[in-house]
Amino acid sequence: MRSKVLFSGVATCLALAGCGKGAPTANPQRGGAHGPGGPQQLGGRGGGPAGSGGATSAGGTTGSGGASGVGGGSANGGTTGVGGGSANGGATGAGGTTTSPSTGGRTGSGGMTGSGGRTGSGGQTGTGGRTSLATGGAKGTGGTTSGSGGSSATGIDGGVTVNCAAEMPTNGEVHSGASVYGTINGLNYGIWTNGVGGTITVFPGVRAFAASWSESQNFLAHLGLDFRNNNAYTAYGTITANYSEKKSGTAGGFSMIGMYGWMHNPCIEWYINEDSWNGLYGRGTVTAVIDGETYYLSTATTTGTGGANACESGHTGSWTQLKSTRKTARQCGTVSVSEHFKAWEAQGWTLGSLKSVHINVEVGGGTGSIEFPVAEVTTTSQ
């Protein structure tokens, strides 16, 4: 199996944060019966004329994003408290003692869960009404817990680096055959098959490609980077791929969509499997978490016609395969290729000099096609 392909794309998503409305206006509370007691007192103490108990004391209504509602603070005739400001509770009735607490700061709805876009903080936690300065007001709870914002609308990796809603460009260059190689937009493209061939379409000015096949036995098509020097992967800094793909048709007995390439001395064929027509398989017992997902790591020895062409000059016989297989398939995202190489090294698996990093499709027959509206491979050095 051979070919190399790397994926890239950038998706940006917006988060909408909502703020909930405050609680409805409280029913008026009676401050007590008419009493002849002493002069009117603030804060619910003393006699005085009949108090209405703080007419409609909103006390921390509308806990907008957690603004403090003081609730039933010292009252003077029931003025409505707005936005959590001090609400005046009202004069106390006979006997000068408060018969019931004012409603104080009522629970606001706080921030509601936002939606769409990259994850936002939604509404911030509202503390609502602080403890009322008067004895009549209970502590307002204000806004409920902040909204969690929205999950990513586009872009499996937060909608920041890959545009998962990208459409295929038009006016591409179609190449067909059993062995096709070329360069475009600073990347290498190609087809390899031991069957009747297929097509690859590339697009001037856009890092994207499409491929099709019809009963081509083992068929691979790719877009990515080839390296002419005999350097370890570390010489190229951080190697990253962004991709988005849409597949159709059938793929025969096996299929792999993801990253692919070769190393020399020793000869290694490597895969990072992201998706498939047939389900993700080839899982090992060793795992690593990369790009926020679990990958199963495995190594094996294989033989075939591919290695005769892809291994270093003079190589004969079998070669090694290294694989990272994603636990859950995806069709769009960022692949931190260098992190997979590090994970393989951590298992004591020897790596050779890096010769290629490709965004790749490989199938074992069938009749189908695949489009990569986003297909980009980058390095931070050389």
Side-chain angles (χ1 to χ4, degrees), residues 52 54-59 75-82 86-90:
S52 63
T56 317
S57 174
N76 277 327
T79 306
T80 302
V82 180
S86 297
N88 295 321

Side-chain angles (χ1 to χ4, degrees), residues 69-71 103-107 127-132 138-142:
V70 174
T103 56
R106 296 172 66 90
T107 303
T127 57
R130 297 182 188 140
T131 303
S132 172
K139 181 176 180 178
T141 59

Side-chain angles (χ1 to χ4, degrees), residues 74-258:
S74 299
N76 277 327
T79 306
T80 302
V82 180
S86 297
N88 295 321
T92 306
T97 56
T98 303
T99 59
S100 61
S102 64
T103 56
R106 296 172 66 90
T107 303
S109 61
M112 299 184 66
T113 303
S115 63
R118 66 175 73 105
T119 303
S121 59
Q124 295 181 342
T125 303
T127 57
R130 297 182 188 140
T131 303
S132 172
L133 298 178
T135 58
K139 181 176 180 178
T141 59
T144 56
T145 305
S146 63
S148 61
S151 59
S152 302
T154 61
I156 308 304
D157 296 304
V160 176
T161 58
V162 183
N163 179 9
C164 296
E167 297 294 330
M168 282 298 292
T170 57
N171 301 320
E173 300 175 357
V174 180
H175 305 273
S176 60
S179 182
V180 175
Y181 297 97
T183 60
I184 191 169
N185 305 322
L187 297 178
N188 303 94
Y189 65 85
I191 290 175
W192 181 91
T193 181
N194 57 4
V196 296
T199 69
I200 185 169
T201 304
V202 292
F203 301 87
V206 182
R207 289 184 168 181
F209 78 102
S212 65
W213 57 91
S214 181
E215 302 301 334
S216 299
Q217 298 186 49
N218 188 191
F219 171 88
L220 298 89
H222 71 261
L223 182 68
L225 291 173
D226 292 338
F227 303 105
R228 304 303 177 190
N229 298 322
N230 295 317
N231 294 330
Y233 75 90
T234 53
Y236 303 103
T238 300
I239 306 171
T240 305
N242 292 324
Y243 77 96
S244 174
E245 53 95 351
K246 302 172 185 177
K247 60 185 182 295
S248 61
T250 60
F254 62 88
S255 60
M256 288 156 283
I257 302 169

Side-chain angles (χ1 to χ4, degrees), residues 346-382:
Q347 302 306 313
W349 301 340
T350 300
L351 303 186
S353 56
L354 184 62
K355 306 308 294 183
S356 55
V357 178
H358 295 164
I359 297 172
N360 186 71
V361 57
E362 179 172 0
V363 300
T367 299
S369 64
I370 191 168
E371 295 179 338
F372 287 88
V374 177
E376 185 169 16
V377 182
T378 60
T379 66
T380 59
S381 179
Q382 299 188 13

Side-chain angles (χ1 to χ4, degrees), residues 280-295:
L280 293 171
Y281 56 90
R283 297 179 174 182
T285 58
V286 178
T287 61
V289 176
I290 302 172
D291 296 323
E293 175 62 291
T294 297
Y295 286 82

Side-chain angles (χ1 to χ4, degrees), residues 273-274 280 283 293-296 325-329:
N273 296 325
E274 298 277 299
L280 293 171
R283 297 179 174 182
E293 175 62 291
T294 297
Y295 286 82
Y296 295 91
T325 301
R326 188 177 171 87
K327 182 177 181 180
T328 304

